Amino acid sequence: MKSSNIGGQAVLEGIMMRHKNEYAVAVRKPDGEICVEKDTYKSIIRWKRLTEIPFIRGVFNFIDSMVLGIKTLTYSASFIEEEETKEKALTAKEEAGKEKREKLLMAGTVAVSAVAAVLIFMVLPYALSSILKPVIPSYHIRTVIEGFVRIAIFVGYVLLISRMEDIQRTFMYHGAEHKCINCIEHGLPLTVENVRKSSRQHKRCGTSFLFFVLAISIILLLLIQVESPLMRVLVRIALLPVIAGISYEVLKLAGNSDNALVDFLSRPGLAVQRLTTKEPDDSMIEVAIRAVEAVFDWRAYESENFGAAGDI
C-alpha cells in the first residue's frame, strides 16, 4: 500500500481534508446543504526546512496540524452560531476586529491546550507514580507504572468525552474521514457504497500518533534517569519534542508499510481508534467525499498505483 499523503480531521458536522498545502472543509449546514471551503494553508513555521528534517519535523508538523485543526473547528462552529443567533451584518471595521479576536483566541487556545496537555499527561502521571516510592523504590518500575497511568488517563479522557452527543457525531465524522482514505488507498472508486464498506481505522491517524507518544515516552524515560524530582519533571517536558519527533517518523513508516512488525506496533493505536471513530451514516460519508475531492485527485492516484479503477 502506498500512502496517498492525504490527511484530515473531523470538525463540527463536517470534515477537513488536507493534501500538501491545500485543505478543504466540508460542513453539513443545518438546512442540509453541504458547504465546501477550500484554501491554502500557510505554515506558522517560518523556516520550512524544519518541517522536512526527519526526527525534527514531527513536532513542527504537529504544531501546524493543531493550529489548522483549531482554525477549521472554529470555521465549522460558525455555521451553528449563525443559525442560532442570525448575526447582523458587520461593518468592515467590526469584521476586522472580529478576525483579530479570533486569531488571538486561536493562539490562546493552542497555548492553553499545550500547557494543559503537559500538566495532565506528563506531570500528573509522574506525581501519581511518585506517591508509590515508599512501597516501590525501583525507579524503573515506577516509570513503567507512570507510563501506564498516562495511557489510562488518555483512554479515560476519550471514554468520558465520548458520552457527549456532539462528540459522538464528531467521532462518526472521524470514521467517515478514515473510511474515505482507506477506500482510496485500497484502489476503490470513491463512492458512498465503497466508502461504507471500508475500514474506519487507519494507521496514520492522530490517535495512533498520540498513542505512540505515550508508549515511546516510557522507553525514553527508562533510559534517562536523574535524581532530583524537579529535574525529573523538567526532563519529561524537555523530552516532549524528541518523543514527538520519533513518534511522527514511526507513524509515517506505518502509513507507508504493510510490514508485519510495523502492523504489530500499530495495533494498540488502531485499538484506541475503536473509541475515537464510530460508523458514519451515508450523509456523513457524502460530506467526507466532498472534502476529499476538493483537494485530491483520487482518480489520478488510483490510476498511477492500481491501474484504471473500475466500479465495484
Side-chain angles (χ1 to χ4, degrees):
M1 181 185 70
K2 180 181 177 183
S3 172
S4 62
N5 290 320
I6 183 173
Q9 167 186 312
V11 296
L12 297 177
E13 292 302 322
I15 301 280
M16 181 274 288
M17 285 291 189
R18 179 181 179 182
H19 183 242
K20 297 181 179 178
N21 291 327
E22 291 188 328
Y23 73 93
V25 189
V27 176
R28 177 80 69 177
K29 296 171 64 176
D31 62 6
E33 178 189 356
I34 299 176
C35 180
V36 181
E37 182 80 13
K38 179 181 176 181
D39 204 349
T40 300
Y41 179 68
K42 296 179 181 178
S43 174
I44 65 169
I45 310 302
R46 298 304 179 191
W47 191 26
K48 188 179 179 182
R49 180 63 177 156
L50 290 175
T51 63
E52 299 171 347
I53 303 173
F55 296 101
I56 293 178
R57 60 188 174 183
V59 65
F60 295 104
N61 280 313
F62 177 72
I63 292 171
D64 262 347
S65 296
M66 193 173 179
V67 170
L68 180 59
I70 293 173
K71 179 179 180 180
T72 52
L73 270 172
T74 303
Y75 170 77
S76 65
S78 67
F79 289 98
I80 299 174
E81 294 172 2
E82 179 182 314
E83 181 68 16
E84 291 178 348
T85 63
K86 298 296 182 183
E87 189 175 38
K88 66 180 181 65
L90 301 177
T91 65
K93 185 177 181 180
E94 289 173 331
E95 188 68 41
K98 181 182 177 183
E99 289 182 8
K100 185 177 180 179
R101 288 193 299 273
E102 288 179 350
K103 288 181 179 179
L104 288 173
L105 177 62
M106 185 169 65
T109 302
V110 171
V112 171
S113 299
V115 172
V118 169
L119 292 175
I120 294 171
F121 294 107
M122 298 304 290
V123 179
L124 178 60
Y126 168 70
L128 293 175
S129 66
S130 295
I131 297 174
L132 300 174
K133 189 174 182 179
V135 292
I136 305 178
S138 171
Y139 168 81
H140 293 91
I141 294 176
R142 291 200 314 275
T143 299
V144 172
I145 293 173
E146 175 190 342
F148 280 102
V149 169
R150 193 175 292 121
I151 292 172
I153 290 174
F154 173 62
V155 174
Y157 169 75
V158 172
L159 286 172
L160 184 63
I161 65 171
S162 66
R163 299 175 65 87
M164 301 167 61
E165 184 178 349
D166 287 344
I167 297 298
Q168 289 177 6
R169 288 190 61 80
T170 302
F171 284 174
M172 292 170 73
Y173 275 106
H174 190 194
E177 173 219 332
H178 284 189
K179 281 173 168 285
C180 276
I181 297 174
N182 276 319
C183 178
I184 293 168
E185 293 183 344
H186 287 81
L188 300 177
L190 194 62
T191 63
V192 171
E193 180 181 355
N194 287 333
V195 171
R196 190 192 307 127
K197 64 185 180 183
S198 297
S199 172
R200 74 173 197 260
Q201 297 167 294
H202 197 283
K203 289 189 290 186
R204 285 191 290 109
C205 175
T207 303
S208 291
F209 171 77
L210 292 176
F211 192 88
F212 281 136
V213 166
L214 299 176
I216 290 171
S217 68
I218 299 176
I219 298 171
L220 290 186
L221 290 173
L222 283 173
L223 298 175
I224 302 174
Q225 183 175 352
V226 292
E227 296 301 323
S228 165
L230 176 60
M231 284 303 298
R232 287 177 180 174
V233 172
L234 294 178
V235 163
R236 279 154 176 75
I237 296 173
L239 278 177
L240 275 174
V242 179
I243 295 169
I246 296 172
S247 301
Y248 182 81
E249 299 306 321
V250 174
L251 191 75
K252 283 189 70 68
L253 175 63
N256 286 283
S257 173
D258 285 323
N259 179 274
L261 177 60
V262 173
D263 286 347
F264 176 76
L265 294 174
S266 299
R267 285 180 184 177
L270 293 174
V272 177
Q273 286 179 44
R274 292 184 178 275
L275 301 177
T276 62
T277 63
K278 301 297 180 186
E279 287 295 330
D281 59 36
D282 287 356
S283 68
M284 295 174 174
I285 292 174
E286 291 171 358
V287 173
I289 290 175
R290 290 284 298 276
V292 171
E293 293 187 327
V295 294
F296 186 71
D297 188 347
W298 60 267
R299 293 177 179 83
Y301 165 84
E302 292 191 359
S303 177
E304 178 182 347
N305 292 280
F306 301 97
D311 291 333
I312 296 178

